[in-house]
Amino acid sequence: MQIIPVPIPFIRLVQRPFLRAEVPVLCALFLLVASGCTLARPAAPGAWPAALGAPVSSARDIRLVVNDGFAIGYDSVREQAAWVAYRLRPIGPYRSMPRPSFISDPRLPRRDPTPVYTGPDYDRGHLAPNYAMSQVYGTRAQRQSFYYTNVAPQRPRLNQLVWQRFEEIEIDDIARDESPLWVMLGPIAADSSSVPQAFFRIWLARTASGEWEAAAFVVPQSVRGDEPLSRFVVSIDRIEALTGLDFLPRLDMTRQAALESEPAPARRFRLATLACEPARYAPRWQGRDGIRLDFERCEEQQKTRRGDADE
């Protein structure tokens, strides 16, 4: 039997008194993740496909933090999530749930949140979304999504317009077509700041024939809010170069190359038709900073991009 070394931070995590009852579960989860199996609690669906393995990095100290509906690869040096993964399925009838407050993650050494949140320049941007966690996984998962381990500084236009559009089409549209849909996302660090310069997002699903298909995105902080989401499509290889993460370590090299080397076509995940879905909060942003949000303009840009891709 292969013996997998358990890092000291993980040992400290499970030694916290209020988690001792869960030590067997957490240890089993760590062993499963380290060997490339499911990331989530036994009672929840896998947050990332078991056959692909959890993301790895030879240059970053990343530890696993397990939640009810999602998993976090926590960078203990940057004190920020390196990645967050979750699995979506179509939701049932909407359930109204009170919005929790943001708090420090009780499972980690307590620290104050970055002071960047005290001003108007950055929102507390959810990685695993509040709406999806509450509707798919319930109250406890929603509360955990408000831990600062699941939060990163995002410009308000990114958080409330572009990021929100991604979250909405994932749960309302793509998860209905591709069930399950796996999502992984996280920050792309700037060289000299705790504030990310951009964020990545990866979608994964199986085709009817059982093959993997993916789409990947890099979204900068400096967005207007009404851009076609297809503008942000990149290859997974590009995200690996920007983050130092290997996202599909258990996939053989030939299949990795096929899945990671090229940006997804617009037809995948119906991105061509969903790329200009208006933001829920667009009315409150209309005209702010002298910018007129124009989702009809977005449609024209999307048609141009589609035409260029077809040539």
Side-chain angles (χ1 to χ4, degrees):
M1 180 180 73
Q2 181 184 11
I3 299 175
I4 303 171
V6 178
I8 294 300
F10 183 83
I11 296 172
R12 289 174 180 161
L13 172 67
V14 299
Q15 284 178 340
R16 297 182 73 86
F18 50 82
L19 284 180
R20 283 174 186 158
E22 294 188 60
V23 166
V25 173
L26 289 169
C27 288
L29 283 167
F30 176 79
L31 295 174
L32 287 169
V33 173
S35 62
C37 297
T38 181
L39 301 182
R41 292 175 181 272
W48 193 241
L52 307 183
V56 296
S57 172
S58 60
R60 300 175 66 178
D61 179 15
I62 296 174
R63 59 189 290 191
L64 176 71
V65 179
V66 179
N67 300 285
D68 274 30
F70 61 103
I72 297 173
Y74 186 76
D75 188 320
S76 57
V77 174
R78 294 176 180 166
E79 297 186 312
Q80 190 176 70
W83 54 263
V84 170
Y86 54 92
R87 189 172 90 162
L88 292 180
R89 61 177 185 266
I91 62 173
Y94 172 72
R95 295 179 292 169
S96 178
M97 304 170 93
R99 184 179 174 89
S101 299
F102 291 100
I103 61 173
S104 297
D105 192 323
R107 299 161 297 185
L108 298 175
R110 186 175 179 83
R111 71 178 186 92
D112 294 331
T114 173
V116 74
Y117 295 127
T118 60
D121 294 335
Y122 293 96
D123 287 351
R124 294 167 174 83
H126 277 86
L127 298 175
N130 163 43
Y131 178 76
M133 293 303 103
S134 64
Q135 299 303 306
V136 178
Y137 295 103
T139 301
R140 179 165 161 166
Q142 182 192 28
R143 286 200 306 267
Q144 292 168 337
S145 77
F146 279 80
Y147 292 164
Y148 276 107
T149 45
N150 185 50
V151 172
Q154 291 186 330
R155 291 282 188 184
R157 282 188 177 274
L158 169 61
N159 181 41
Q160 299 174 39
L161 295 172
V162 173
W163 210 241
Q164 184 274 322
R165 290 164 59 200
F166 272 110
E167 292 174 348
E168 188 162 335
I169 65 171
E170 281 172 0
I171 191 68
D172 289 345
D173 298 287
I174 302 174
R176 295 181 185 278
D177 301 333
E178 311 285 349
S179 186
L181 172 71
W182 284 274
V183 181
M184 181 168 285
L185 64 162
I188 297 173
D191 291 337
S192 59
S193 172
S194 61
V195 175
Q197 63 177 326
F199 290 81
F200 70 85
R201 206 172 196 101
I202 299 172
W203 295 338
L204 274 175
R206 283 192 180 275
T207 66
S209 62
E211 295 298 316
W212 290 107
E213 60 179 356
F217 309 85
V218 168
V219 187
Q221 292 271 22
S222 56
V223 293
R224 281 172 50 101
D226 58 358
E227 297 91 341
L229 299 182
S230 55
R231 174 183 296 184
F232 307 115
V233 173
V234 298
S235 66
I236 295 177
D237 278 346
R238 175 60 179 158
I239 299 175
E240 290 183 336
L242 291 169
T243 61
L245 297 170
D246 179 7
F247 289 101
L248 312 174
R250 289 180 63 84
L251 202 58
D252 69 75
M253 297 304 294
T254 300
R255 295 173 70 193
Q256 268 199 53
L259 201 58
E260 296 183 349
S261 61
E262 297 295 332
R267 66 180 179 276
R268 189 171 295 166
F269 299 111
R270 292 199 294 132
L271 187 59
T273 59
L274 296 171
C276 290
E277 285 293 301
R280 180 186 308 163
Y281 305 117
R284 73 173 66 163
W285 280 92
Q286 195 58 267
R288 194 184 300 187
D289 306 320
I291 297 174
R292 179 179 175 273
L293 298 175
D294 186 349
F295 288 96
E296 291 183 5
R297 169 181 167 273
C298 176
E299 291 282 3
E300 291 302 317
Q301 292 179 337
Q302 172 65 9
K303 288 177 183 176
T304 301
R305 293 179 63 84
R306 198 181 313 168
D308 293 342
D310 291 341
E311 290 179 359

